[in-house]
Amino acid sequence: MSQNAFFEHLSRKGVVREAEALESVRGRDMTGEIDWTSLTRLTPSDFADELAEFYACARIKRGELAADDFAGGRLSHRFLREGRLFPFADDEDGLMLAIAAPVDMETLLAIETALESKAKIAVATADEIDAALAAACSREQAAPATETAEAGAGSDDLDDLRDLARGAPVVRALDDLLRLAVEQRATDLHIEPFAGTLQARLRIDGLLKATQAPPMSMAKGLLSRLKIMAGLNITERRLPQDGRARIVVAGAEIDLRVATMPTLYGEGAVIRLLRKGSGVVALDQIGLSQRDGDILKRNLQAPFGMIIVTGPTGSGKTTTLAASLAEINEPTRKILTIEDPVEYQVPGVNQTQVHPGIGLTFAMALRAFLRQDPDVIMVGEMRDAETAHIGVHAALTGHLVLTTLHTNTAAGAITRLIDMGVESFLLASSVRAIIGQRLVRILCPDCKQPHLLTAQDIAEDARYASLGFVEGETLHRPKGCEWCNYTGFRGRRGVFEVIEASPTLRAAIGPKTDASELETVARGEGMTSMAQDGVAKCRAGLTTIDEVFRVTMSM
């Protein structure tokens, strides 16, 4: 991040007050939240000079920022004020962005997208930017309402969009798409505009499938309808937006997570469908092998420690955690969860959903949980260093903590937490088990076809030999029927790798530990990889080698 690189720049100059000060800026997203001058021995003016040197850009002197030149009318003053940012127009250089602290690329790109122009960086002091923003805000408040509306518009009239979204054809078209998505067990609905056409696709069992889409003439109405349902700004079509909605289809409550995105041919949207009150899958039914299931069940009975489930988005981590909670859910245990969102409702478990808008984050909830006398804590995701630190300390102080991380392998969870700032010796003491997982499609039981492997099959496809298959083994192939919508597959199941924190593995965890080293130790103690677990499911007639290679990218 720019903050860390700039702090290293100051450290080399010898102007940092404390060596530990670097830790106070790691992982921080909003530069305006950091009091940079308090971390150094520099005056505000000298600090601005160092920042200008770091970016090799112009240093704006006092009085050169004028409210007349303000060019950030499309950005909220709160965003600019918190980030200490002042966009302004320059006759020679075009759009300029005055900053008082390091700015990350995501923030700069968002500003350029909103203002539809590349921006050159210049540096001013925080006081100079605050004064210029205050003056610009006063001018805008004094301007006629019609001028303010023109400056921030750039999209259609609000009433026209509302009328369009409430039209019967648009309402019916969106309802039909959502109903179809629910009926076909889709996890996501994609609405995508292209040149002269609108495309709709459903993600079913992990793969996208095209479906009949409304005409392009309905695109704007569909998006406006979605935004109204999700509580979004229907007049803003230049920036991505996220929201939530709830619908009822065939008596079932469905939570929708709506994410819009401006594209070359208009605005698109992805709607994630979450079925409220879905039944929790039993731990024995998620696909764990006998060895892996025994390890997980044994560690779930531990009085304290941490169990981590890893994998990418949509790999079934939440299902595994819910099944684990159901396994240990007894009246003698108090179980608290913080999730985003609550996908499975487990009777007897106190479940909380994050609400960033009011400050209810994973970290805040986790701190509060420790005062609620819990036995078991489930954290939906370790998203930041603060949550990770609190979670690890909770695991060391008499609580069983279950959580997830986005890593490619089980062993990668250790290195990821070390990268987040958690000390390796704390991880060695707290982690009990790590589960890596993916989801493979399961062959339709009604139409799958057995196939006897021949020497020709093995010669034509090197994957058979590389995975240890031999001539004469029986595998199964997809065929397709009405039950599986002629895909040959119906439903998904996990392929897993489970690492138990044995004394040997704990001894291998250090500040410079590499994930491959931990994986080697785990394999030596009997761990089977996700690819090997997938091969076992192929031999059991549950899936195909194509599916195993698709999700594990093995060899």
Side-chain angles (χ1 to χ4, degrees), residues 1 11 20 50 70 72 107 113 128 148 166 193 229 232 278 291 293 301 306 331 345 387 504 512:
M1 295 176 66
S11 298
E20 296 82 5
E50 290 292 343
F70 180 64
T107 300
T113 302
E128 290 164 0
T148 305
R166 290 168 180 163
M229 291 171 61
L232 304 179
S278 299
R291 171 194 176 273
Q301 298 302 324
M306 180 178 286
Q345 296 177 17
T387 307
T504 306
K512 305 292 185 182

Side-chain angles (χ1 to χ4, degrees), residues 535-548:
V535 168
K537 287 179 170 61
C538 287
R539 288 195 165 103
L542 295 175
T543 190
T544 66
I545 64 166
D546 291 329
E547 278 297 295
V548 174

Side-chain angles (χ1 to χ4, degrees), residues 156-165 220 224 234-235:
D156 294 344
D157 180 77
L158 179 62
D159 290 334
D160 289 344
L161 286 173
R162 281 177 175 161
D163 292 342
L164 187 61
K220 192 180 294 184
S224 297
I234 64 174
T235 63

